[in-house]
Amino acid sequence: MTLSIRHRTEYRYAPKAARVGLRLKLFPLSTPQQEIGAWEVAVNGAPVTPLITNPFGEGEAMWFSSTPLEDVEVTASGTVTLRDTSGVLGKLGRFRASVFCRATTLTEIDQELSDFASGIEGETPLARMHALSEAVHAAISYRKGVTASDTTAAQALALGAGVCQDLTHVFIASARAMGMPARYVTGYLLEDADEDGATPELATHAWAEVYLDGLGWTGFDPTHEVCPADRHIRLCSGFDAADAAPLRGHVTGETEESMEISVEIARSQIQSQSQS
């Protein structure tokens, strides 16, 4: 299946920002699960290309403006052809897998998380990760508006509610507590209309990847209790949500910032025409 994606982020500043700097992780990799076709990233209509390839194997770009700005529009768009690999991606990036066993501020392990992880059973590491995904899905109810971007895995588990970021953080922290290298993935998810015909509100999605001997990096989406298949589009990764943010910025000047994000995903017309 080939999908067309358009990811738009608009920042507004009142009054104008004196200077704006952005780090962009909006350049998805081709993997066994996805093949990236034409892909373009632009800031205020001007194309932006990666400056470096980070240790995750992903492109990063920097963008700066030294003149006062009222708004900045960032778009990432292109096509991705997906195939179902049951979440298995193999080796991606230059980091040793063991690096991903360390905790971060958002994934720090407390006693409740440690106890939660120790209760996960399975005959093999793969079976334990599937069991962990099921356990996180059962423990954390999907509920918007009860957590924030700085909510930790421990806080989300104690609350028992949150969004995909929170379920992914709980999964990652628990996997690391079990001695399994785990990392955070930001991407997109194609969702169909619900039974009432309503189209879901699209935004970025989050899931986890765990390094398994013999398979390499393998994805788990505890929010939907599945392994990423042919509806998950991988954008970038990191140690946690903050590290895997597609956009990070710095603004100077006395200004108030607001942000608007939209994601559009559709089955590609190229595919439709080729099949007609």
Side-chain angles (χ1 to χ4, degrees):
M1 177 167 55
T2 299
L3 302 177
S4 296
I5 300 163
R6 187 175 189 273
H7 178 185
R8 174 182 175 274
T9 305
E10 183 175 7
Y11 298 95
R12 296 188 183 93
Y13 307 103
K16 292 181 178 181
R19 293 181 177 85
V20 178
L22 296 174
R23 182 209 69 179
L24 301 88
K25 295 179 70 173
L26 290 165
F27 305 92
L29 286 172
S30 289
T31 72
Q33 183 197 358
Q34 64 184 31
E35 181 69 29
I36 308 302
W39 191 267
E40 181 180 79
V41 176
V43 179
N44 289 345
V48 176
T49 57
L51 177 66
I52 63 168
T53 298
N54 64 28
F56 297 98
E58 302 157 356
E60 287 190 24
M62 303 296 293
W63 182 88
F64 299 96
S65 173
S66 58
T67 58
L69 288 175
E70 186 175 9
D71 55 61
V72 176
E73 181 187 59
V74 182
T75 59
S77 59
T79 60
V80 181
T81 300
L82 299 171
R83 59 185 69 88
D84 187 354
T85 64
S86 300
V88 178
L89 301 181
K91 295 183 178 181
L92 291 178
R94 300 195 302 272
F95 275 134
R96 289 180 298 174
S98 59
V99 171
F100 295 93
C101 287
R102 70 174 180 85
T104 67
T105 300
L106 291 173
T107 60
E108 191 171 355
I109 301 164
D110 67 355
Q111 190 60 51
E112 185 178 358
L113 266 170
S114 180
D115 293 343
F116 177 78
S118 65
I120 305 300
E121 298 181 348
E123 294 184 358
T124 65
L126 176 60
R128 287 195 292 276
M129 292 302 98
H130 280 297
L132 175 60
S133 183
E134 294 173 4
V136 172
H137 183 83
I140 311 294
S141 299
Y142 188 89
R143 196 186 314 159
K144 294 181 178 181
V146 298
T147 56
S149 60
D150 60 352
T151 299
T152 67
Q155 292 168 338
L157 182 61
L159 181 63
V163 293
C164 59
Q165 170 178 307
D166 304 295
L167 279 89
T168 302
H169 278 157
V170 173
F171 181 98
I172 289 171
S174 300
R176 290 171 180 168
M178 298 163 69
M180 303 297 296
R183 63 189 181 193
Y184 189 103
V185 177
T186 298
Y188 312 106
L189 175 64
L190 174 66
E191 296 190 76
D192 292 327
D194 62 23
E195 59 185 15
D196 297 322
T199 302
E201 180 181 347
L202 295 179
T204 55
H205 185 50
W207 60 93
E209 289 175 353
V210 178
Y211 193 85
L212 298 169
D213 288 340
L215 293 177
W217 290 106
T218 303
F220 296 87
D221 181 352
T223 303
H224 297 278
E225 204 177 341
V226 298
C227 285
D230 58 356
R231 287 173 175 258
H232 290 70
I233 303 99
R234 189 185 191 279
L235 180 60
C236 59
S237 60
F239 290 96
D240 56 25
D243 194 37
L247 283 167
R248 297 287 296 273
H250 178 74
V251 178
T252 59
E254 297 293 329
T255 184
E256 293 291 328
E257 179 186 270
S258 61
M259 182 174 62
E260 180 181 295
I261 301 174
S262 65
V263 175
E264 300 171 7
I265 305 175
R267 287 175 172 83
S268 174
Q269 291 301 311
I270 298 174
Q271 174 182 262
S272 300
Q273 292 170 5
S274 66
Q275 293 178 345
S276 60

